[in-house]
Amino acid sequence: MMRGNRQAARPLEGRVAVVTGAARGVGEALARSLSEAGMRVALLGRERATLREAAEALPGPSLCIECDVTDRAALADAARGVAAGLGPASVVVANAGIAVSGPFDRTAADLWQRVIDVNLTGSADTARAFLPQLTSTHGYFLQIASTAAFGAAPMMSAYCASKAGAESFALALRGEVEPDGVQVGIAYLHWTGTDMLTGIDDHPVLEALRRNQPRPARRVHSPAQVAQWLTRGVTHRSPQIYAPPWLRWCQPLRPLFPALVARAARRELRSLPREELSSPAEVLGAGGQADWNSFRTSRAASPPGG
């Protein structure tokens, strides 16, 4: 009887979770929160040293795998490593993501493509690699999306396109895998205090969008707080998770958001000096910069035509 009560109180205990983009930010905080809930956690990410530190700080069993989510062979190896080291995954969180801020015509085509590859294609490839395990455990796949899917912001075209695409992918996947006992959740994150958001006041459109929102909507939430909301959703295998929770009331208003965002952005863009609008795009945050640097290094090392 006591064992049954314990399982009811800690339904995630002893199960295996996989979190991509787990070296820092929301991914690191979620890995910690799931570990505290009793899960065995596999952390996947690009930054080897930072990833290892995050794994070693967890209270429960963990596995650290350096992995590029755009590399399908590496993801397949990671899936085999998780199964061998911790057991088949019951929860997989597609969290890895990067962002670029700047005018579309000033963003290098390969940098724009990299955001799509990591945020959208990387999420799909993560699902592809771990679906056999999730099917065997009747598990839960969580796609980390964003309120960027509600209304696209100028100067953030790649990020907004990728997050809207990731939402659509997860919705389509949900209908396909539900008969197999796999549930798919989508998490909508608002302003979160990761390194991606550092220096938001230096990005005029993002700063203007935040400034024009109602006061409660301007609040920046810590990764730890967001991780708690996500963990609650994982526990209940929720189809939607909102961080913060009041975002659920915005869903019926989504048709209004593109026009509201466009109006605020247009007003702000008209007030900016022309040189600011013609400055090159930049990768946001240390995690995104590390991914971009690794990508360029690996591409430079590849033989011509390879």
Side-chain angles (χ1 to χ4, degrees), residues 225-250:
Q225 175 64 78
V226 170
Q228 289 181 16
W229 288 322
L230 295 176
T231 300
R232 189 181 310 149
V234 169
T235 301
H236 296 289
R237 297 164 65 91
S238 301
Q240 290 88 28
I241 305 173
Y242 298 95
W246 58 259
L247 280 175
R248 71 179 62 252
W249 305 113
C250 293

Side-chain angles (χ1 to χ4, degrees), residues 69-128:
V69 295
T70 70
D71 184 336
R72 285 192 292 272
L75 277 171
D77 288 342
R80 287 189 289 268
V82 170
L86 297 176
S90 293
V91 172
V92 175
V93 183
N95 168 75
I98 61 174
V100 172
S101 174
F104 173 74
D105 63 356
R106 297 287 292 171
T107 304
D110 52 356
L111 176 55
W112 200 95
Q113 183 66 55
R114 183 62 185 172
V115 177
I116 302 296
D117 289 346
V118 172
N119 298 5
L120 173 54
T121 309
S123 293
D125 286 341
T126 298
R128 190 186 304 278

